[in-house]
């Protein structure tokens, strides 16, 4: 069984996204499901240049040298991927968007090599309600991406937490994340 790969798009090491990722992995640990967490903010991920080297060479990797080189083989191997992000300016964080842009390189001769993977989303926003937060934009974007790449969305969890420590107090959100984790167990 391949590892569950979890990508955290928040810059705050002890932030709300990190708390929710920790809750998610706790569920996986209960059944010894293998996983790996990547903190995108700490990684060097350059913007996609749209040079099309990846597509022209059917490379399933990128001509640029950075931390994505390590991620492409892992992404190809894994069947389950979770994206976690704070809402920044009414959508996903720039750190997560940079990473997603670079998935363009996984467009091979037979469509997206990323297809058929199971994906899940964990989103957290500072607003007290989802309507004003912009989380629906993020969900719409992630849904469009999943449809385009033919991924199966296993679940989407979102909730309100603003300051560091707020996610720990949002029991409903923690519970929702825990339940999402169960769906990713081996
Ligand atoms: C640059 C920036 C933009 C933000 N934009 C929004 C927003 O559009 N909607 C919202 O509800 N919260 C917004 N927030 C609040 C964060 O989503 C919220 O504090 C979240 O818990 C941060 O996650 P973290 O603790 O993992 O960093 C923003 C925060 C920052 C720093």
């Amino acid at each position: 069984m391949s590892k569950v790969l979890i990508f955290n798009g928040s810059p705050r090491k002890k932030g709300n996204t990190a708390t929710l990722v920790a809750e998610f992995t706790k569920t996986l640990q209960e059944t010894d499901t293998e996983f790996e967490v990547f903190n995108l903010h700490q990684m060097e991920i350059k913007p996609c240049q749209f040079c099309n080297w990846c597509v022209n060479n059917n490379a399933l990797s990128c001509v640029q040298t950075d931390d994505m080189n390590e991620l492409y083989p892992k992404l190809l191997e894994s069947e389950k991927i979770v994206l976690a992000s704070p809402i920044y300016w009414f959508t996903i964080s720039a750190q997560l968007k940079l990473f997603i842009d670079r998935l363009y390189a996984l467009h091979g001769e037979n469509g997206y090599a990323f297809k058929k993977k199971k994906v899940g989303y964990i989103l957290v926003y500072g607003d007290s309600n989802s309507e004003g937060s912009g989380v629906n934009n993020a969900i719409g974007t992630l849904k469009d991406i999943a449809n385009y790449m033919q991924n199966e969305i296993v679940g989407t969890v979102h909730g309100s937490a603003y300051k560091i420590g707020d996610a720990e107090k949002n029991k409903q959100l923690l519970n929702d994340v825990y339940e999402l984790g169960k769906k990713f167990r081996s």
Side-chain angles (χ1 to χ4, degrees):
M1 210 19 126
S2 67
K3 279 185 195 170
V4 181
L5 304 184
I6 304 150
F7 296 92
N8 179 347
S10 168
R12 298 205 286 189
K13 278 188 188 162
K14 294 185 175 168
N16 295 311
T17 314
T19 300
L20 299 175
V21 166
E23 188 67 15
F24 182 85
T25 58
K26 198 171 92 183
T27 324
L28 302 181
Q29 279 163 326
E30 284 173 1
T31 55
D32 291 330
T33 301
E34 278 195 85
F35 66 87
E36 196 168 353
V37 178
F38 299 91
N39 293 309
L40 296 172
H41 185 73
Q42 267 108 54
M43 303 181 78
E44 187 195 13
I45 301 181
K46 296 174 184 165
C48 173
Q49 306 289 330
F50 201 4
C51 67
N52 252 353
W53 179 89
C54 53
V55 171
N56 294 338
N57 291 285
N58 194 26
L60 303 182
S61 65
C62 180
V63 72
Q64 302 188 82
T65 306
D66 63 10
D67 289 334
M68 283 303 292
N69 300 122
E70 170 209 340
L71 295 185
Y72 287 127
K74 291 183 186 226
L75 284 161
L76 289 170
E77 195 192 317
S78 177
E79 289 154 20
K80 297 175 183 174
I81 289 153
V82 174
L83 305 180
S85 178
I87 298 300
Y88 274 10
W89 287 105
F90 312 100
T91 188
I92 56 171
S93 71
Q95 289 87 338
L96 182 60
K97 182 62 166 53
L98 274 179
F99 166 75
I100 291 174
D101 282 1
R102 295 287 298 283
L103 299 181
Y104 178 76
L106 298 183
H107 200 301
E109 266 170 354
N110 305 313
Y112 264 100
F114 210 61
K115 69 184 165 196
K116 301 219 163 56
K117 295 189 188 292
K118 293 181 192 299
V119 294
Y121 307 122
I122 299 172
L123 301 164
V124 60
Y125 45 85
D127 206 317
S128 55
N129 73 81
S130 61
E131 291 306 311
S133 71
V135 71
N136 291 328
N137 299 329
I139 292 169
T141 297
L142 293 168
K143 209 184 258 182
D144 286 346
I145 292 167
N147 284 341
Y148 187 66
M149 297 210 287
Q150 296 175 22
N151 300 141
E152 180 195 334
I153 301 178
V154 175
T156 303
V157 166
H158 62 85
S160 173
Y162 179 61
K163 295 193 296 289
I164 287 179
D166 282 353
E168 273 147 42
K169 297 178 205 148
N170 188 335
K171 299 298 173 204
Q172 179 66 54
L173 179 55
L174 287 175
N175 187 60
D176 290 349
V177 169
Y178 189 80
E179 290 300 317
L180 180 69
K182 284 189 191 168
K183 297 184 188 165
F184 279 83
R185 287 172 172 175
S186 309

